[in-house]
Structures are given as structure tokens and as C-alpha cells.
């Protein structure tokens, strides 16, 4: 699987990630998110279901992305992210109430 994969329609884009979103590839993730930010869509939907290994760096990238698009009147939501997922477990270990920061679908 590619590092980041996107599926786009006229008003939204779904962004999926590979199993590893740790600091060792953070610079590549950041570059991909900056390219995605240029897409002319209203809604960015992040599918986190394939992530197996993550850390605080990826959480910070998502929060930063969220803040950037809010300034552009765009929307971001997280989808396919169960409470027992690697992403949510990492948020809990870091003491981050991510549901109060990001919008979640479902």
C-alpha cells in the first residue's frame, strides 16, 4: 500500500494511510498533507482504519492540518477509527482527548 492514498469526488477527498504513521516517516506524511491541502474540495475525510503503528507526531500533524483548513472554511473529519484502534490507543496513552479536538464520523 502507498504511504498515503486519496480518492476524490467533486466536493470531498478520502485520505487513507499505510500501516505506519510514526516519526520515522513524518516528513513524508507532512509533504503529502501539504499537497493534499491544495486540493479544491470542501471536505477532507481521513480514513485511519489501516494504521497499525503511530505516535504523537502523526496526531500533531492531523491537529495542525485541521487548524489550517478551518482558516479556509473547509472541513475535516476522521472516519473508520474504532476506539480500540492504534490511533485512538496512542491518543489515550498521550492523554489527548482527540474526540474533543477533531470531528469524527459515526
Amino acid at each position: 500500500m502507498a504511504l498515503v492514498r486519496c480518492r476524490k469526488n467533486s466536493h470531498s477527498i478520502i485520505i487513507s494511510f499505510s500501516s505506519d504513521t510514526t516519526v520515522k516517516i513524518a516528513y513524508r506524511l507532512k509533504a503529502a498533507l501539504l499537497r493534499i491541502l491544495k486540493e479544491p474540495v470542501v471536505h477532507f475525510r481521513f480514513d485511519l482504519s489501516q494504521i497499525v503503528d503511530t505516535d504523537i507526531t502523526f496526531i500533531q500533524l492531523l491537529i495542525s492540518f485541521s487548524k489550517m483548513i478551518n482558516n479556509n472554511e473547509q472541513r475535516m473529519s476522521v472516519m473508520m477509527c474504532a476506539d480500540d484502534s492504534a490511533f485512538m490507543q496512542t491518543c489515550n496513552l498521550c492523554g489527548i482527548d482527540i474526540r474533543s479536538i477533531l470531528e469524527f464520523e459515526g
Side-chain angles (χ1 to χ4, degrees), residues 3-55:
L3 181 68
V4 177
R5 212 167 66 186
C6 300
R7 295 180 310 241
K8 182 180 168 185
N9 62 33
S10 62
H11 66 285
S12 71
I13 187 168
I14 297 174
I15 302 113
S16 305
F17 298 89
S18 66
S19 60
D20 180 7
T21 59
T22 59
V23 69
K24 64 185 171 187
I25 59 168
Y27 71 98
R28 292 171 58 199
L29 291 170
K30 180 181 177 185
L33 290 175
L34 288 173
R35 281 192 308 276
I36 291 166
L37 192 58
K38 296 176 184 175
E39 291 294 324
V41 295
V42 176
H43 190 183
F44 298 90
R45 300 174 71 207
F46 285 78
D47 176 354
L48 306 183
S49 63
Q50 299 301 311
I51 296 173
V52 175
D53 193 14
T54 193
D55 59 23

Side-chain angles (χ1 to χ4, degrees), residues 76-106:
M76 173 190 165
S77 61
V78 175
M79 55 186 279
M80 308 287 287
C81 187
D83 285 336
D84 63 348
S85 68
F87 178 78
M88 293 302 288
Q89 288 178 356
T90 301
C91 289
N92 290 336
L93 285 171
C94 294
I96 300 169
D97 181 10
I98 198 69
R99 290 192 183 272
S100 69
I101 300 169
L102 302 177
E103 176 185 335
F104 281 74
E105 296 180 24

